[in-house]
Amino acid sequence: MIKISNLTMVFKQGGGSDSGITALDRIDLEIPTGQCVAIVGPSGSGKSTLLGLIAGLDQATSGSIIIDDTIITKMNEDDLARFRRDRIGLIFQFFHLLPTLTALENVLVPLELKRERNATETASALLKEVGLLGREDHYPSQLSGGEMQRVAIARAAITRPALLLADEPTGNLDTENGQRIIDLLLGLNRSQKSTLILVTHDLTLASHADRIISLKDGKVVKDEMKL
Ligand SMILES: Nc1ncnc2c1ncn2[C@@H]1O[C@H](COP(=O)(O)OP(=O)(O)OP(=O)(O)O)[C@@H](O)[C@H]1O
Ligand SMILES: [Mg+2]
């Protein structure tokens, strides 16, 4: 369960006396474990800012985020980094694969610090699950956009994170590949029983979620559960 209370994020402008940009304005949200949530809204409405705060990548101006029993808005950098590594899988629009590593090596990156046994087998199995059997030894430059995103998803899923966060994961893909990525994320959400929070511009993709939260000017303006 994620509990967000009175969450505000103000980006200060160059030190002056002006009040800065309010990217999130006193957001309250509760997201039960296992839910699949789509966050939609116009450009600049605060979607990425919200996701970044839930991921602990940035520090809120005020308010709190509690994930299960952990108040992440009160954690120090080291604890936050550990929390992220153990509990959160992140997927971005531009994939962020390491170009000098193969597909398999990219998927293994999050396990590097954990010294898990059978890591290679686990990574191979995940690549197979995302439809990339036989591509283990390809470098990102030898893969299509949809394939790169599938590697990025396998990498995010390899630690079986309780929380999967995806920011415009289909933003660089055509409709068909976008649909495949969403199906894959929803499949992981179900098979790994993880909570999935997905930022998207695409209302068709958003309609596959259990719930659609609309942001505008840093506020929740609509919060709909699918029937
Ligand atoms: N690091 C930053 N410094 C200053 N302002 C920022 C910063 N990051 C975001 N903002 C501002 O905060 C607001 C919300 O930005 P955010 O990136 O969350 O929007 P978004 O909903 O993800 O938009 P998009 O759909 O274009 O990705 C915008 O006005 C943006 O300019
Ligand atoms: Mg964004």
Side-chain angles (χ1 to χ4, degrees):
M1 154 83 105
I2 303 173
K3 190 167 163 42
I4 296 173
S5 312
N6 212 20
L7 190 69
T8 294
M9 183 63 161
V10 179
F11 289 107
K12 286 273 176 259
Q13 298 291 88
S17 56
D18 71 288
S19 50
I21 293 170
T22 303
L24 294 175
D25 189 4
R26 291 163 291 167
I27 299 263
D28 290 306
L29 279 175
E30 279 186 21
I31 298 172
T33 300
Q35 195 166 61
C36 169
V37 182
I39 299 179
V40 300
S43 181
S45 56
K47 305 181 297 294
S48 295
T49 304
L50 179 59
L51 212 67
L53 290 179
I54 296 171
L57 294 172
D58 217 335
Q59 212 147 38
T61 306
S62 58
S64 68
I65 300 173
I66 303 174
I67 300 181
D68 297 328
D69 291 322
T70 311
I71 308 174
I72 67 156
T73 33
K74 283 208 174 135
M75 277 176 135
N76 65 38
E77 278 299 319
D78 289 351
D79 290 341
L80 210 47
R82 197 169 308 122
F83 184 81
R84 231 181 0 250
R85 188 192 71 203
D86 293 341
R87 310 279 288 276
I88 293 179
L90 277 170
I91 299 147
F92 301 95
Q93 177 175 8
F94 297 105
F95 322 139
H96 296 270
L97 296 180
L98 296 167
T100 57
L101 300 184
T102 65
L104 187 73
E105 289 163 349
N106 264 286
V107 175
L108 282 167
V109 164
L111 290 188
E112 213 95 294
L113 299 166
K114 289 194 158 183
R115 298 166 191 281
E116 287 204 9
R117 295 172 63 205
N118 308 321
T120 308
E121 286 77 4
T122 311
S124 295
L126 257 176
L127 279 174
K128 184 174 171 212
E129 194 178 329
V130 302
L132 290 177
L133 186 68
R135 304 300 180 99
E136 292 87 346
D137 299 326
H138 285 219
Y139 290 91
S141 62
Q142 301 169 318
L143 297 169
S144 73
E147 289 167 347
M148 280 192 263
Q149 189 59 301
R150 284 186 267 157
V151 174
I153 289 173
R155 180 184 57 185
I158 194 161
T159 58
R160 302 200 156 256
L163 180 55
L164 271 174
L165 303 174
D167 195 351
E168 300 275 3
T170 64
N172 276 306
L173 304 175
D174 57 53
T175 313
E176 193 187 316
N177 269 302
Q179 185 61 56
R180 253 195 236 161
I181 293 301
I182 296 297
D183 289 344
L184 200 56
L185 288 170
L186 289 172
L188 284 171
N189 162 239
R190 286 187 205 109
S191 70
Q192 300 195 345
K193 296 189 170 56
S194 55
T195 305
L196 171 63
I197 305 181
L198 172 74
V199 168
T200 180
H201 273 109
D202 188 330
L203 290 177
T204 314
L205 296 180
S207 69
H208 294 275
D210 302 324
R211 176 180 179 187
I212 303 180
I213 294 171
S214 308
L215 294 185
K216 189 166 183 257
D217 298 331
K219 292 193 174 75
V220 175
V221 290
K222 219 195 284 177
D223 187 348
E224 307 164 282
M225 286 294 294
K226 197 154 93 192
L227 297 175

